[in-house]
Structures are given as structure tokens and as C-alpha cells.
Amino acid sequence: MKDFRKYSLLPHNTFGIDARCSRFLEYESDDEAIAVADVLRRSQQPFIIIGAGSNLLLTQDFDGIVVRSGIKGYHFDGNRMVCGSGETFDDMVAASIRAGYYGMENLSLIPGDVGASAVQNIGAYGVEAKDVIVRVDAVEIATGKTCAIDNASCQYAYRQSRFKQDWKNKYLITRVTYGLSRTFMPHLDYGNIRAELERKGVAEPDAQQLRDVIIDIRNAKLPDPKVMGNAGSFFMNPIVSREQYESLAAQYEGMPHYEVDAARVKIPAGWMIDQCGWKGKSMGRAGVHDKQALVLVNRGGAKGQEIVDLCNAIRKDVKETFDIDIHPEVIII
């Protein structure tokens, strides 16, 4: 078990913010997770649980304990892929395709750890983690006992789960099991997947070709955090009533949208931010990416609060223009 004091979190957040915590614990097995749970129960300090920090914005030092999983390894059990919560999620997508198990292709290149996929219900291009998660193994912090949690109990919704709500800081996730298929059934009707496939001359992609296209699309519009600090999509796409969407669509010809159900429609937050003139703009050292308005970036040396200030200015403009509240997907500490 890794146990460090006065530890810099710079390697653990993709925004590149050099904040520190009082103590940093990383567990690499079930027994170590149980030991960490014991430390958290006994300690009087606050604590937070993080993954790879790809969905995290630090605004100050944290006077408490930061915990993350270092559990590695994966194996297949029938059509199920059991992954250590500390594995890099995209590595597991690649491994599943190599082994001939399908269902996660559209989630390619989403940054972060396996454990975070179960907490955040990550999603992209018409697929969400909830579509493939079968079970989450964890240690209950209050008791130190191991438990297995099924998909239904997690109460997944768009970028939400009970791990972010009433179960926040109650479990240390050790493994996530994904239910996959030996039959490849591609999801192509989202965003510009089909257009990019056609550009490449691919009519009926295999799983690797679909993964490659998803990676190309993401790389074309998302900055490399090693070059420019960011956390990918900063805002969630808002879901509005059909009446509100139709009213806006009458004002904005060609307004993009995605059907949710008969009563609700999802509107891309990035499009609204772009309409408000923010794409490529900056406030001090924080800015909006010039290729994807959904992405806020650290242009060099920005403090977390500078990015929060930019976030708030954008939210204010979107609210005034569209009468829609957009909310950060990123966890702000």
C-alpha cells in the first residue's frame, strides 16, 4: 500500500494543477483496500476518492486524505470481463477487442480508470458504461466488508450513479465486471461516426476499425492533456423538455439535438457555448478549446479557481441566451 504525506496531486489530475493533500493512500489489493477503509474509519480527517484525475478540478490544497485504487489485472469469465479498478479504462477497451469481446468500442479513448467508469457512468457516441456494467465489487468503508453490487442497485442515469449521490465516499471499488458479446453489433448512428467511416472508405467496419475511427474523432477535437491541461468534456449535455427544445429550434435553424424519449431532448452544451461566442476565447490563463467548446483548458499556469471563474461566466451566458442551465461534469474540489 502506498502511503505518502504532504503529497502533490500534480500527477493525479489532467488539468495540471499542483495542489497538495495531507495524506495519499493507494490500495493494490482487496486486503489493502480493507486496510485503507480501516484508516478512513479511524481518522478524523476528511477524505476523497479519485481515479486518474481526468474528471477532477482542484481549486486548493486538500487538508485531508486522498485515496485511489492501484488494483491491476483483468480476466474473462464467459462473456464477462473482470477488471481491476486501477486499470486504465481505454486499455480494457483495447484488450476486449483483441480478445474478441465486443460492446465497448464507442467508449474508446475516454480517459480515466476502470473504477471511475462505474462511478461516473462514462459515455460517448451513444453508449454508456451502464450498458455494459454487470457488477461492481467494493469494500464498504463503514464495515470493511467486501460486497458485490449489481447494475440495477447502482441506479445509473446520464453521468450519474449512486456512487456520486447517496453512496458518495461509502465504498472503495476494487473491480468492475463488464458484460460483453462475442457478436459484434456496431453502434454507428451518433455524431459523425458514419461520415468518418465513409471518408475512410469503410462501409461495414469491424470492431477495431470502429475503435480507430472513434479515436481519430476524439483526437481531432480534444487536446492532449500532456500538452494542454484539460479534463475532456467539462459540461454535461442538458436534457430539456420537448416544448423548450421546439421553441429554441424555431429560433435556431439546424439546432443539433438527440432524442431521449417522447417528452425529453438532449441539446449539446458545446453547441450552445459556441453560439455564445466562447470557442477559442480565454479569461486569463484559462480558456475554451478552439476545436471543441465543451472543453475548458489550462493555457499554462492557471489556478483551479481561474477555470471555475471561466466556467461560471460560460454558464451565465448560456443561461441568458437559451434559458438553460448547464452543469459541470467535472468534480470541483
Side-chain angles (χ1 to χ4, degrees):
M1 181 172 70
K2 295 179 181 177
D3 187 349
F4 302 116
R5 310 292 176 127
K6 301 297 182 183
Y7 183 75
S8 171
L9 295 170
L10 183 60
H12 301 287
N13 75 98
T14 57
F15 258 117
I17 306 296
D18 190 12
R20 305 181 77 83
C21 61
S22 299
R23 187 176 183 183
F24 178 85
L25 298 173
E26 182 175 296
Y27 55 93
E28 298 177 342
S29 67
D30 288 34
D31 287 343
E32 289 188 2
I34 292 170
V36 168
D38 184 61
V39 171
L40 298 178
R41 285 196 307 275
R42 294 172 182 273
S43 174
Q44 298 301 308
Q45 291 183 293
F47 68 89
I48 55 173
I49 303 165
I50 67 169
S54 58
N55 202 44
L56 180 67
L57 175 58
L58 300 168
T59 61
Q60 58 189 337
D61 290 342
F62 182 67
D63 186 18
I65 303 171
V66 171
V67 180
R68 72 161 298 185
S69 170
I71 296 179
K72 303 294 187 180
Y74 67 92
H75 67 273
F76 292 94
D77 181 7
N79 283 359
R80 296 184 173 189
M81 186 180 190
V82 184
C83 305
S85 54
E87 285 284 359
T88 299
F89 179 78
D90 188 56
D91 289 348
M92 299 300 94
V93 177
S96 69
I97 293 172
R98 286 197 303 269
Y101 292 86
Y102 310 115
M104 297 199 290
E105 299 79 30
N106 291 45
L107 303 176
S108 292
L109 210 63
I110 294 180
D113 291 346
V114 162
S117 75
V119 175
Q120 301 290 343
N121 185 26
I122 59 173
Y125 301 103
V127 177
E128 293 181 303
K130 70 175 180 60
D131 301 328
V132 291
I133 290 174
V134 174
R135 154 177 155 164
V136 179
D137 290 297
V139 171
E140 186 179 31
I141 294 172
T143 64
K145 294 181 178 179
T146 58
C147 55
I149 305 167
D150 63 19
N151 181 299
S153 298
C154 296
Q155 296 181 7
Y156 286 119
Y158 175 61
R159 301 297 181 272
Q160 291 293 335
S161 74
R162 293 185 74 183
F163 295 110
K164 292 181 69 174
Q165 304 298 329
D166 58 310
W167 285 353
K168 185 176 180 180
N169 287 348
K170 289 192 175 182
Y171 294 98
L172 299 176
I173 296 175
T174 54
R175 287 170 192 80
V176 179
T177 299
Y178 304 103
L180 306 175
S181 173
R182 296 293 267 174
T183 302
F184 176 54
M185 295 177 288
H187 298 275
L188 307 178
D189 296 317
Y190 198 99
N192 57 337
I193 295 176
R194 286 193 184 275
E196 186 64 18
L197 286 168
E198 289 176 8
R199 190 184 71 80
K200 292 177 176 291
V202 179
E204 297 183 3
D206 60 26
Q208 186 60 52
Q209 288 173 318
L210 177 54
R211 171 172 163 78
D212 290 343
V213 162
I214 296 293
I215 289 173
D216 288 346
I217 292 171
R218 291 183 67 88
N219 279 333
K221 65 182 183 179
L222 297 175
D224 183 347
K226 296 184 181 68
V227 178
M228 185 181 296
N230 72 93
S233 299
F234 195 92
F235 297 98
M236 293 183 284
N237 292 322
I239 297 173
V240 303
S241 69
R242 184 164 296 277
E243 290 76 14
Q244 185 173 13
Y245 160 71
E246 290 176 350
S247 174
L248 288 168
Q251 300 175 57
Y252 297 93
E253 184 176 355
M255 182 179 192
H257 68 284
Y258 302 101
E259 300 288 334
V260 176
D261 52 38
R264 300 178 301 160
V265 176
K266 184 188 297 182
I267 299 175
W271 179 85
M272 290 189 289
I273 295 167
D274 192 7
Q275 292 294 306
C276 291
W278 278 103
K279 183 186 282 187
K281 298 294 180 63
S282 296
M283 280 180 55
R285 296 173 292 186
V288 181
H289 189 45
D290 59 1
K291 294 181 180 178
Q292 171 53 271
L294 201 58
V295 179
L296 305 191
V297 297
N298 180 350
R299 297 204 184 279
K303 301 294 185 183
Q305 188 58 49
E306 293 178 70
I307 296 166
V308 171
D309 292 343
L310 174 61
C311 161
N312 290 337
I314 291 169
R315 293 184 67 191
K316 179 175 180 290
D317 277 2
V318 170
K319 177 66 174 178
E320 290 177 351
T321 303
F322 297 98
D323 195 27
I324 292 177
D325 291 310
I326 58 173
H327 299 281
E329 178 179 340
V330 171
I331 298 168
I332 299 172
I333 295 175

